[in-house]
Amino acid sequence: MAVETIFSKIIRKEIPADIVYQDELVTAFRDINPQAPTHILIIPNKLIPTANDVTEADETTLGRLFTVAARIAKEEGIAEDGYRLMMNCNRHGGQEVYHIHMHLLGGRPLGPMLLRQ
Ligand code: DGP
C-alpha cells in the first residue's frame, strides 16, 4: 500500500508551493532546495512511489512529465542552452520523497552527471 507524501498535499494545495503548472495528470512546482537557477519538480497527480512501481497503465501520465518539462523549459528560457531531467529511485539513487518525480534543472552549466568519488 503506497503511503502519501508531502507531494500529495502540494497537489491538493493543502500546503503552499510555487506551482508553475498543473493539469489533470501532473503538477509542477519549484523545488524547496534548488540546486540550479531553475529547479522544478514535475510529478504525477497519482501516487506512484518509485520508478519500480511504474506500470503500462502509467505510460500516458509519465509521458506527460516530458511534454510539460519541455513546455516549462521554454517558459523558463533554458530550452536552447539546455537542461537536465532526472529521477532518483530508492536509496542508492538518492530518493528522499517516495512520490515519483522528475527534476528539471537548468540555468547554468550543470557539469558532469555524477559526482566522482
Ligand atoms: P529526491 O531526492 O529525488 O527525492 O528529491 C526530492 C526533492 O524534493 C528535493 O530536491 C527537495 C524537494 N522537496 C522536499 N520537500 C519539499 C517540499 O515540501 N516542497 C518543495 N517545493 N520541495 C520539496
Side-chain angles (χ1 to χ4, degrees):
M1 182 62 188
V3 178
E4 276 197 1
T5 73
I6 197 149
F7 287 0
S8 291
K9 291 188 166 61
I10 288 174
I11 292 163
R12 295 194 296 262
K13 300 183 177 164
E14 292 170 4
I15 62 164
D18 187 355
I19 294 176
V20 297
Y21 179 89
Q22 187 167 49
D23 65 21
E24 80 284 6
L25 292 180
V26 306
T27 300
F29 52 94
R30 293 189 193 280
D31 195 289
I32 204 167
N33 183 24
Q35 303 298 308
T38 293
H39 188 173
I40 290 169
L41 302 175
I42 310 165
I43 71 176
N45 296 338
K46 171 190 172 188
L47 171 53
I48 303 168
T50 80
N52 291 331
D53 303 302
V54 168
T55 70
E56 285 181 16
D58 300 319
E59 287 175 357
T60 300
T61 299
L62 297 180
R64 183 71 61 86
L65 299 183
F66 280 92
T67 51
V68 169
R71 171 189 173 135
I72 293 172
K74 284 196 193 81
E75 289 171 359
E76 293 282 312
I78 61 172
E80 286 306 312
D81 282 338
Y83 51 92
R84 183 169 294 157
L85 300 176
M86 200 179 75
M87 277 187 179
N88 296 323
C89 180
N90 278 345
R91 292 183 311 281
H92 284 193
Q95 185 172 5
E96 293 170 0
V97 180
Y98 283 78
H99 184 132
I100 198 170
H101 47 281
M102 175 185 277
H103 294 259
L104 165 58
L105 294 145
R108 65 168 170 81
L110 295 168
M113 190 167 68
L114 296 174
L115 291 174
R116 293 189 173 78
Q117 298 187 0

